[in-house]
Amino acid sequence: MRMTTPEHSPLGKHTVYADRYDPSLLFPMPRQAKRDEIGVSEPLPFHGVDIWNAYELSWLDMHGKPMVGVAEFHVPAHSPNIIESKSFKLYLNGFAQEPLANVAALSALLQQDLTRAAGAVVTVTIRPPHVAQHTFADLEGESIDNLPVTIDHYGPPRPDYLHTDAQAGIVEEILVSDLLRSNCPVTGQPDWGSVQIAYRGTPIDREGLLRYLVSFRTHNEFHEQCVERIFIDLMKHCVPERLSVYARYTRRGGLDINPFRSTDKTLPGNVRGVRQ
């Protein structure tokens, strides 16, 4: 039986980089173990998707000429597994010397293998590596990063920092911070990100929210797990009527991961920030 916990993944280990197609390189890990920690079970209390962008994708055409593209993958939040990112990189690198008839053939292989690994249908889009094909912009919302706060706690996450002004009326607003940082639970490498919190409800205390987000700074958890933790903590401590949490992480190994969790079924755009 194949092991599916982080310590059995390729992370932090010497690796031989394959240059031919090999779907066995993908390393799925069940989501539920980490969801148990934050009290999440079926039916899920959120909708969402993990948007992956791959910037180091290349293959050969049938005449041996290298081709390149930028791929976008949508892994649904209800999929039972996440795909460990280094294994994803190794898998994509395996196409470097693989002859393929066209982009459609590559897309079909990617969707087949990633769907099998994730346990739910993964959508795949491959675009040419031209700026005109991609969107760059800041996350929509009001930044809370310039608040004059004193911070002295950097982990573990402190959901008790979160509270609302119960005497105030209902608001609908979007708050943004570029100060999110967490760490890979296997290698300890930092993961840098920007986070957008859109909600309707009594006003969330902004200073407390900023302190809470910074309290992830030395926390060891994968991107998807951090976003689900933020979502659950906000729902529990601030009780909004509606809530969406969207994090845009900087890339590592040619991949960025951008998890989105929401009380609504709407999905976000894939807008790249300046750090991506």
Side-chain angles (χ1 to χ4, degrees), residues 233-264:
D233 285 345
L234 283 167
M235 288 299 294
K236 179 178 179 180
H237 292 268
C238 300
V239 200
E241 296 176 8
R242 297 201 305 270
L243 174 66
S244 296
V245 179
Y246 189 22
R248 300 285 308 187
Y249 281 90
T250 58
R251 75 180 76 170
R252 181 185 297 159
L255 289 168
D256 64 39
I257 310 170
N258 310 282
F260 175 80
R261 301 292 183 269
S262 179
T263 53
D264 300 325

Side-chain angles (χ1 to χ4, degrees), residues 23-265:
S24 71
L25 293 170
L26 290 169
F27 190 88
M29 295 187 301
R31 295 184 190 266
Q32 193 55 50
K34 294 299 292 185
R35 286 177 172 173
D36 287 343
E37 293 183 10
I38 55 175
V40 170
S41 58
E42 297 287 350
L44 296 177
F46 46 68
H47 307 280
V49 65
D50 303 326
I51 301 175
W52 296 65
N53 295 300
Y55 304 100
E56 299 177 6
L57 180 63
S58 184
W59 65 100
L60 303 180
D61 70 10
M62 299 309 290
H63 302 285
K65 184 176 74 172
M67 310 295 289
V68 294
V70 176
E72 177 180 328
F73 308 99
H74 285 212
V75 182
H78 65 259
S79 64
N81 302 320
I82 63 174
I83 300 171
E84 189 278 314
S85 60
K86 184 176 180 181
S87 79
F88 203 158
K89 175 187 177 181
L90 295 173
Y91 164 75
L92 293 176
N93 283 345
F95 286 94
Q97 296 298 110
E98 191 69 31
L100 292 163
N102 48 42
V103 170
L106 173 60
S107 296
L109 272 181
L110 291 168
Q111 182 173 56
Q112 166 192 288
D113 297 338
L114 295 170
T115 294
R116 182 180 295 119
V121 175
V122 175
T123 61
V124 179
T125 305
I126 301 175
R127 299 183 178 91
H130 307 308
V131 171
Q133 295 285 326
H134 304 274
T135 305
F136 297 80
D138 295 325
L139 282 171
E140 178 188 355
E142 184 177 353
S143 175
I144 61 174
D145 291 348
N146 291 325
L147 293 172
V149 299
T150 298
I151 296 178
D152 58 7
H153 181 82
Y154 305 100
R158 288 282 301 272
D160 57 300
Y161 286 155
L162 297 170
H163 62 276
T164 64
D165 181 357
Q167 304 305 313
I170 297 296
V171 301
E172 193 162 354
E173 62 182 359
I174 304 174
L175 305 177
V176 174
S177 175
D178 296 315
L179 303 187
L180 181 62
R181 192 195 101 152
S182 53
N183 300 300
C184 172
V186 179
T187 67
Q189 290 180 294
D191 296 317
W192 306 91
S194 300
V195 61
Q196 177 192 68
I197 295 166
Y199 74 97
R200 174 181 169 83
T202 52
I204 295 174
D205 178 76
R206 297 184 178 192
E207 292 187 5
L209 176 61
L210 185 58
R211 290 190 179 97
Y212 167 73
L213 294 174
V214 173
S215 73
F216 279 80
R217 197 166 179 84
T218 62
H219 181 61
N220 297 326
E221 206 162 42
F222 291 122
H223 305 59
E224 302 94 331
Q225 297 159 355
C226 287
V227 169
E228 291 187 1
R229 186 178 295 274
I230 293 169
F231 180 93
I232 293 300
D233 285 345
L234 283 167
M235 288 299 294
K236 179 178 179 180
H237 292 268
C238 300
V239 200
E241 296 176 8
R242 297 201 305 270
L243 174 66
S244 296
V245 179
Y246 189 22
R248 300 285 308 187
Y249 281 90
T250 58
R251 75 180 76 170
R252 181 185 297 159
L255 289 168
D256 64 39
I257 310 170
N258 310 282
F260 175 80
R261 301 292 183 269
S262 179
T263 53
D264 300 325
K265 291 184 178 181

